[in-house]
Every structure is written in C-alpha cells, then in structure tokens.
C-alpha cells in the first residue's frame, strides 16, 4: 500500500476522501433482513427484484468548516449503484463508488489552522453506510413514456448498515489512512460487511511527528483513485 501515501502530491494540502468499494454485505444482519438472505447459503443471488436501491456513505469529519462556524462538522456524501445483476459467491458483494472528494483545511499559523491542529488530537472521521430505496420518477412531460430511477428518502426509510470510525490524530504524523475496515454497530459490535476506503493528503498536518509508512488494517484487494484536479480547478 505504499503507493497510497507516495501517490499524493506533496504540494496538495487538501484532504482527499475515497470510498473504494463495499464488500461482503451478505454478512450484514440488516442487509439479510432487507433481502431475505440466508447467511449460510453457498451463493448470493442479486435478483432483478432487489435492484431498486443505492448504497450511500455519509462521511462526517469532526472539524469545523470555517472559523465562522466552529460548532459544525464537515459533511460529505458518496453514492454507488450496483453495476450488474449476477450471481455472486459468498466472498464478494461489491459496489464501486464515485470519484474522490476533497476538503480544504488550513496549514500554518492562522487561528483557524491552529484550531484544526488542536481538534485533530481528539476528533474523528465517521462513515455511516445506508441502504437507500430507489423510486421510479417520471421525467418531464413525457414521463409516461420515459422514467428514471432516483434515490428517495421518502416512503421506506433508509436502513443503517453500520459505520466506520477513524481517528483524525493519525493524520498529524502521516499523510494517509487506508485499508479494509469492518462495518460496526453503534455499540461497537461487528455489523458485517467491509468498506475499502482511503483518506490522504500531501503531507502530515504536524510534520514534526512524521512517521514511516504504516497501515492499520489488512490490504485492499483492489484500489483506484481519481487524479487530483490541477491547481485552480473547481474542488468537488
């Protein structure tokens, strides 16, 4: 996994978030209830009747978005749709995600930068994963002839599948946190399912603490990242 850290641009001080994939959801108890999955089955079938949903990852970074709003947190959202309807073995139930998202955080001696540095010592990143029902919505005045599927929070409520919690203080001494993280329940029990994710930046927030490259979890089976936008381009 050295390329996760070494692949960053040292001059790019933004924080990059990537939800790479979600796997083994058939082991998740709430997922099993939604789709009547038998956890002891040798095969998991992703039936057409079960395809009207999306997976959403809501990311909360427990840092203030600005000095004018020091009580709020930075919020991001990722969504992924199943790419195909096919039989899957009991080792994989994967959902590729959309592109990376970036957060600008200050460095240096400004009041805001010092606040960020102080709060990173004890704050966290929390990733909550949800199953979101999708509704068929009419598209324009020709809606009776053409329909499109859109995520909907109306009708059936989103189902919480679990969460991943990361300590921000790790980014004080290194420039990435990456790996396969198990989904956990609100009371820190294993919920079932794995999220492959990466959080990285050009350099540690406190260079005086810089560590050698280390990783906290088992390696990804696969990883890919979008190239960071050039300077001056709009940040997603």
């Amino acid at each position: 996994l050295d390329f996760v850290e070494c692949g960053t641009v040292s001059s790019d001080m933004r924080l990059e978030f990537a939800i790479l994939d979600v796997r083994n959801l058939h082991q998740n108890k709430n997922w099993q209830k939604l789709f009547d999955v038998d956890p002891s089955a040798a095969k998991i079938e992703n039936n057409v009747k079960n395809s009207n949903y999306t997976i959403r990852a809501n990311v909360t970074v427990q840092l203030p978005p600005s000095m004018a709003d020091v009580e709020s947190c930075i919020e991001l959202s990722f969504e992924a749709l199943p790419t195909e309807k096919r039989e899957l073995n009991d080792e994989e139930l994967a959902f590729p995600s959309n592109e990376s998202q970036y957060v600008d955080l200050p460095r240096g001696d400004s009041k805001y930068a010092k606040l960020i540095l102080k709060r990173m010592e004890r704050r966290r990143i929390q990733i909550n994963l949800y199953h979101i029902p999708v509704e068929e919505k009419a598209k324009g005045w020709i809606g009776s002839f053409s329909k499109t599927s859109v995520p909907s929070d109306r009708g059936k409520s989103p189902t919480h599948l679990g969460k991943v919690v990361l300590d921000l203080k790790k980014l004080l001494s290194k420039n990435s946190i990456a790996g396969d993280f198990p989904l956990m329940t609100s009371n820190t029990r294993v919920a079932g399912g794995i999220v492959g994710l990466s959080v990285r930046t050009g350099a540690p927030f406190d260079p005086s603490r810089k560590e050698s490259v280390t990783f906290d979890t088992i390696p990804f089976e696969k990883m890919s990242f979008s190239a960071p936008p050039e300077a001056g381009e709009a940040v997603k």
Side-chain angles (χ1 to χ4, degrees):
L1 284 184
D2 289 5
F3 76 94
V4 176
E5 183 160 321
C6 298
T8 59
V9 180
S10 60
S11 60
D12 189 346
M13 297 302 179
R14 297 170 301 170
L15 205 54
E16 178 188 8
F17 293 82
I19 306 295
L20 302 173
D21 60 11
V22 180
R23 288 174 279 119
N24 297 345
L25 282 180
H26 62 279
Q27 297 175 359
N28 185 280
K29 292 182 179 179
N30 286 340
W31 183 272
Q32 292 167 5
K33 292 177 183 177
L34 283 168
F35 295 112
D36 295 324
V37 172
D38 179 0
S40 64
K43 289 186 178 181
I44 307 298
E45 186 174 351
N46 192 13
N47 294 318
V48 174
K49 65 176 180 153
N50 289 337
S51 64
N52 291 329
Y53 64 89
T54 185
I55 300 299
R56 177 181 298 164
N58 289 341
V59 179
T60 299
V61 186
Q62 294 176 345
L63 294 173
S66 69
M67 277 304 296
D69 189 9
V70 296
E71 299 303 323
S72 297
C73 295
I74 297 167
E75 304 281 353
L76 304 172
S77 183
F78 294 82
E79 286 191 4
L81 287 168
T83 56
E84 56 188 350
K85 307 175 184 69
R86 61 184 174 88
E87 283 194 348
L88 300 168
N89 61 37
D90 61 351
E91 297 299 325
E92 180 183 11
L93 191 55
F95 299 88
S97 64
N98 58 354
E99 296 181 353
S100 299
Q101 295 186 42
Y102 297 83
V103 172
D104 283 306
L105 292 176
R107 312 286 181 111
D109 296 325
S110 70
K111 188 176 180 180
Y112 183 27
K114 290 179 179 179
L115 177 64
I116 291 294
L117 204 62
K118 181 179 179 180
R119 292 197 177 181
M120 287 183 77
E121 289 277 6
R122 59 186 188 279
R123 299 300 172 91
R124 295 176 172 180
I125 301 168
Q126 189 170 117
I127 302 99
N128 283 282
L129 204 71
Y130 295 89
H131 167 279
I132 307 291
V134 171
E135 68 174 4
E136 294 292 331
K137 184 178 181 181
K139 186 178 181 181
W141 64 274
I142 58 173
S144 57
F145 302 98
S146 176
K147 294 185 177 181
T148 183
S149 295
V150 296
S152 173
D153 292 335
R154 297 177 297 175
K156 292 184 178 180
S157 299
T159 300
H160 187 237
L161 300 175
K163 66 180 180 180
V164 172
V165 178
L166 308 173
D167 288 326
L168 277 163
K169 65 181 179 182
K170 294 177 181 178
L171 294 174
L172 292 172
S173 57
K174 55 195 231 182
N175 71 335
S176 67
I177 304 171
D180 289 340
F181 296 86
L183 283 168
M184 309 297 290
T185 65
S186 57
N187 56 1
T188 68
R189 294 182 180 179
V190 175
I194 294 172
V195 180
L197 62 88
S198 171
V199 183
R200 64 183 186 175
T201 186
F205 279 81
D206 187 351
S208 66
R209 305 190 196 182
K210 186 175 181 180
E211 298 176 358
S212 59
V213 179
T214 57
F215 297 92
D216 305 305
T217 55
I218 57 176
F220 285 115
E221 295 174 2
K222 56 180 179 179
M223 293 182 70
S224 62
F225 295 94
S226 60
E230 297 294 333
E233 289 187 3
V235 178
K236 295 181 180 180

